[in-house]
Amino acid sequence: MFSRNHRSRVTVARGSALEMEFKRGRFRLSLFSDPPEDTELQRKLDHEIRMREGACKLLAACSQREQALEATKSLLVCNSRILSYMGELQRRKEAQVLGKTGRRPSDSGPPAERSPCRGRICISDLRIPLMWKDTEYFKNKGDLHRWAVFLLLQLGEHIQDTEMILVDRTLTDISFQNNVLFTEAGPDFELRLELYGACVEEEGALAGAPKRLATKLSSSLGRSSGRRVRASLESAGGSGSSPILLPTPAVGGPRYHLLAHTTLTLVAVQDGFRTHDLTLASHEENPAWLPLYGSVCCRLVAQPLCMTQPTANGTLRVQQAGELQDWARVHGVLKGTSLFCYRQPEDADTGEEPLFTIAINKETRVRAGELDQAAGRPFTLSISNRYGEDEVTHTLQTESRGALHSWMEALWQLFFDMSQWKQCCDEIMKIETPAPRKPPQVLAKQGSLYHEMVTGDDQGWAGLRPKL
C-alpha cells in the first residue's frame, strides 16, 4: 500500500524504512520536495521505491527457486540504491543550506580555484578465485553444495550489479562477464565491490532428508522402536503433511550474505589485468560461507574527458621549430595530449590528417608572450618539449588578447587534469560499451556429470522461462 505526499512527488511505501526515517526525524519531506537540480535524483528514488514494492510482491508469488533468488537479489539492489539516493539528497541539501547561510568559521581558507574534469570508469573481466579442499575438488567427496552469487558495485550514489551465477566445487573461480560502466566520476573516485552469496539447497537433498533421518533413527533406537518411528515418518511424508520432528520452514525468500568486499581507487587503474585484495566478511560457520581465495582479478580503466573531448580550438599562426620567418595559419584543436594543427576547421570534423601535431604532456613547458599589445608585437605563446638532449619549441600567435588568455587557461586546466588523473592521461584507455542486460534466464545446473545429463522429459522443458 502506498501513501503519497500531496505536496511533493515522493511515493513512500507505508511501513517501509523510508517512512520510518521520516518519522524519526532524520529526513524531512521538504528535503525531497525541492525540485531544482535534484529532480532527476528524486525521480530515480521514486522509481527504486516502486521497484522495491514490485520485488516484494514478486518474491511472495515465486514458486521456483531461480525466481526467488532473482527477486531477492532485485530487492537487495533496490534497498541499496534507495539508501544511496537518500544519502546523496541529504548531502546536497546540506550543501544548499551552507551556501545560503555562508561558510562556517571552521571552513575558512581559500576555495579551490580549479576542479578536475570528470571521466568514465569501466571495470571488466571480473574473476574471483576459489580455494577448495583437496577432498572436495580433486576427490569429489562430500555433499555438492551450490551458491548463488553476484557483485554489487557502487561509485558515489550510483549502484550497479552483475548477473547472478551458480557456483559449486567444480569451478576454480567465479567469472562475471559484465562490463560495468560509470559515466560520472572524478579522479578521487572510490569504487566499492561487494560480493553477495546465498547457499542454494537442492530439492533432492531436501526431499530425502526425512528418509535419511528415519534410517538413522531406526538403527539407533533398536529394531522395534525404530520400525514404529520409521513408519510414522514415512506415512506423514506420504500424506503430504509435514513430517514429524521436522520444523515447518518459515515462509520467505532466500537470504543473501555479504561474503567479501574491497574498494578500488585511481591507483588501481591500469590498462591491463590486475589482482587486488579482498576483505573477507564471512567465516566457515556462516551458512553462506564460500571458500574464497581472498583476491579479485579485474581490468579497471578510466577515460578523463580531457582525453576524449576537445578542450580548446581556434585560429592560430604557428612558427615551427627552426623556422624563423615562416608562419603557418592553422586551425588548432587541443585534445588529450596533443595540439592538432589542421589546414581548415572542416578537416577536424571530417577526420582529415592534421598538418602537424604538437605534443602536450606533463613535461611540456608553456610560456606566454607580452599580454599587452604593442606596435608590431603579436600575442604569442611558446610550447617547448625536450626530446633527449634537444629542445623543440613552437611559437603560437593568437588573434587577440582574449584568445591568448583562453588558450593559456585551456593549457593550464589540461596540466591540472593531468596532475589529478595521473597515469590515465598517459594514453587513452579503451572502454567497450557494455552490452544491454538480458533478462534473467533459468539458472543452469552446473558441476558434476550427473547434472550435465538430461533426460527425455527434461529436454522438453529446456530453455523455457519460468512462469508465475
Side-chain angles (χ1 to χ4, degrees), residues 77 116 150 187 211 245:
V77 174
F150 71 95
K211 293 185 178 180
L245 304 178

Side-chain angles (χ1 to χ4, degrees), residues 13 17 20 52 69 106 113 143 172 189 227 253 286 299 303 305 310 339 347 370 375 442 468:
M20 296 301 297
R52 181 185 184 277
L69 288 171
S106 58
E113 297 181 358
D143 296 334
T172 57
F189 73 90
R227 188 182 299 112
N286 192 310
R299 177 178 178 264
Q303 273 188 1
L305 291 182
L339 175 59
D347 294 345
E370 295 291 338
V442 176
L468 296 179

Side-chain angles (χ1 to χ4, degrees), residues 33-79:
S33 59
D34 294 336
E37 65 277 359
D38 299 341
T39 304
E40 180 64 18
L41 191 59
Q42 178 64 62
R43 185 191 64 81
K44 292 180 179 179
L45 178 61
D46 294 344
H47 174 74
E48 293 301 327
I49 292 176
R50 291 192 297 268
M51 290 292 293
R52 181 185 184 277
E53 187 72 14
C56 292
K57 294 180 180 179
L58 179 61
L59 182 60
C62 285
S63 59
Q64 298 186 12
R65 180 191 61 187
E66 291 80 4
Q67 295 173 329
L69 288 171
E70 287 288 352
T72 306
K73 171 178 174 286
S74 300
L75 186 59
L76 190 151
V77 174
C78 288
N79 287 337

Side-chain angles (χ1 to χ4, degrees), residues 125-333:
D125 301 324
L126 282 158
R127 299 176 184 272
I128 301 177
L130 300 172
M131 186 175 58
W132 300 101
K133 298 178 181 179
D134 294 345
T135 55
E136 293 177 333
Y137 183 73
F138 294 103
K139 299 181 181 180
N140 201 28
K141 292 183 178 181
D143 296 334
L144 184 62
H145 297 289
R146 282 184 171 83
W147 292 262
V149 297
F150 71 95
L151 270 177
L152 192 72
L153 304 97
Q154 180 173 5
L155 195 153
E157 74 273 14
H158 305 288
I159 294 179
Q160 299 194 42
D161 62 308
T162 64
E163 79 277 12
M164 182 184 65
I165 62 176
L166 281 181
V167 176
D168 58 25
R169 67 186 178 208
T170 62
L171 302 180
T172 57
D173 58 3
I174 308 172
S175 179
F176 297 97
Q177 303 300 325
N178 304 70
N179 290 352
V180 182
L181 176 64
F182 295 91
T183 57
E184 281 290 330
D188 57 345
F189 73 90
E190 292 185 353
L191 177 58
R192 180 174 174 85
L193 279 65
E194 295 180 347
L195 178 66
Y196 287 91
C199 187
V200 180
E201 293 293 343
E202 292 296 325
E203 291 86 347
L206 291 178
K211 293 185 178 180
R212 290 198 302 268
L213 178 60
T215 302
K216 292 182 179 180
L217 288 176
S218 63
S219 60
S220 61
L221 296 179
R223 180 174 300 177
S224 58
S225 301
R227 188 182 299 112
R228 289 194 298 270
V229 173
R230 182 186 180 95
S232 61
L233 282 172
E234 291 179 350
S235 61
S239 61
S241 59
S242 299
I244 298 177
L245 304 178
L246 292 180
T248 303
V251 178
R255 181 180 179 183
Y256 283 96
H257 300 264
L258 177 63
L259 303 180
H261 61 87
T262 188
T263 301
L264 304 180
T265 60
L266 185 66
V267 180
V269 173
Q270 179 182 334
D271 198 0
F273 203 63
R274 291 188 59 181
T275 302
H276 312 278
D277 293 334
L278 274 178
T279 301
L280 302 182
S282 180
H283 49 83
E284 193 168 356
E285 288 74 19
N286 192 310
W289 177 80
L290 190 64
L292 302 175
Y293 189 77
S295 60
V296 55
C297 307
C298 64
R299 177 178 178 264
L300 181 65
V301 297
Q303 273 188 1
L305 291 182
C306 63
M307 296 292 292
T308 58
Q309 297 182 1
T311 55
N313 63 85
T315 302
L316 294 171
R317 291 173 59 87
V318 181
Q319 185 184 58
Q320 300 192 51
E323 300 178 2
L324 300 179
Q325 296 182 354
D326 294 338
W327 290 78
R329 184 179 180 86
V330 300
H331 177 75
V333 176

